[in-house]
Amino acid sequence: MISRRGFMKLVGGGFTSFAALGGYALAVEPLGRLSIARYQMTPPAWTPGLKLRLVALADLHACEPWMSADRIVSICKRANSLGGDVTLLLGDYASGMNFVTRYVHSSEWSKALSTLQAPLGVHAVMGNHDWWEDRTAQKNGGGETFAHRALAGVGIEVHSNRAIRLEKDGFGFWLAGLEDQLALRPGKIWNRRRMIGLDDLGGTLSQVTDEAPVILLAHEPDIFPKVPSRVSLTLSGHTHGGQVRLAGYSPVVPSRFGDRYAYGHIVEDDRNLIVSGGLGCSVAPIRFGVPPEIVVVDLG
């Protein structure tokens, strides 16, 4: 039999542990940590001699106090120090939370992102929240969002179903960026019964005109089963690694494939996908087991 005093100690200890865990998930991991997730690979049919370092940032969700403009500048400074040949932005710059003290305007977060530097440039795609937070774009059913315009306004290339050819040390490669797969929300106000994506995988890859390797940027990883082996590497964000990840498993993932594409390096049929754990939060400002991260990929 446990004594009353022992029972109270047990309850008190449990409450303290729970409070400490909650404080870590709410404040320490989302706000106080920044990890570097490193991957190294030579994809099938990769050009011999082509050594390429990618630095990728995903899911900033700019808002205070969680992701202020100053914090974004600090993250960009760290990204610049990682020696990337090219810097990639994987979407969701706009906030997707109500638990904020202030929304950071697109003119502020884009100015912060303009501090990114890389020899082969900074390249971006859009995420679902960049579309969802723009009522005009939702009403129009396409076109550009304020995020498209904000990034273009600070000189960052935005790829909307577009492929471009880049070179390093005389070796060519393609960078292909998809428009968002969940861009247009359903609702009577928009006269839409279902979610509509604006991605065009076939049309994007049809712009590739030689045998140089292709790197595909797609905000949501759910496109991956449709990606052909012609693509050397697909890079995605969106999932935040589930925001809560325990023993390599995320119980809640915003993907129709569940935990299959939640986080990390996934190989299927000799095709490679890397899903970033992202930097910010959506729905709730909680992270546990998947701290904010910058992704570094060394290819070749």
Side-chain angles (χ1 to χ4, degrees), residues 150-281:
L151 289 173
V154 296
I156 293 175
E157 285 203 63
V158 181
H159 302 277
S160 178
N161 298 322
R162 185 168 74 111
I164 63 168
R165 193 178 191 276
L166 300 173
E167 284 193 4
K168 185 196 174 188
D169 299 332
F171 298 104
F173 67 95
W174 290 86
L175 199 61
L178 289 187
E179 193 48 84
D180 191 68
Q181 301 156 56
L182 303 172
L184 303 179
R185 304 181 75 172
K188 289 184 179 180
I189 187 174
W190 318 121
N191 196 29
R192 284 191 292 270
R193 295 185 178 182
R194 61 182 179 84
M195 195 83 72
I196 297 176
L198 296 177
D199 55 301
D200 182 1
L201 180 62
T204 303
L205 295 181
S206 70
Q207 300 166 41
V208 175
T209 57
D210 61 23
E211 297 304 310
V214 178
I215 298 164
L216 178 68
L217 312 182
H219 178 67
E220 294 91 357
D222 286 19
I223 194 72
F224 187 58
K226 298 179 182 179
V227 175
S229 58
R230 173 70 182 87
V231 174
S232 298
L233 172 64
T234 301
L235 284 167
S236 296
H238 182 64
T239 65
H240 303 191
Q243 282 189 203
V244 174
R245 192 162 180 83
L246 304 169
Y249 175 75
S250 300
V252 179
V253 182
S255 165
R256 68 178 183 271
F257 295 101
D259 195 61
R260 179 175 168 185
Y261 302 136
Y263 177 74
H265 183 196
I266 298 104
V267 180
E268 292 183 355
D269 301 323
D270 290 327
R271 298 171 305 119
N272 288 273
L273 166 68
I274 290 176
V275 182
S276 169
L279 289 157
C281 299

Side-chain angles (χ1 to χ4, degrees), residues 14-28:
F15 179 79
T16 300
S17 297
F18 181 78
L21 187 64
Y24 176 84
L26 278 166
V28 177

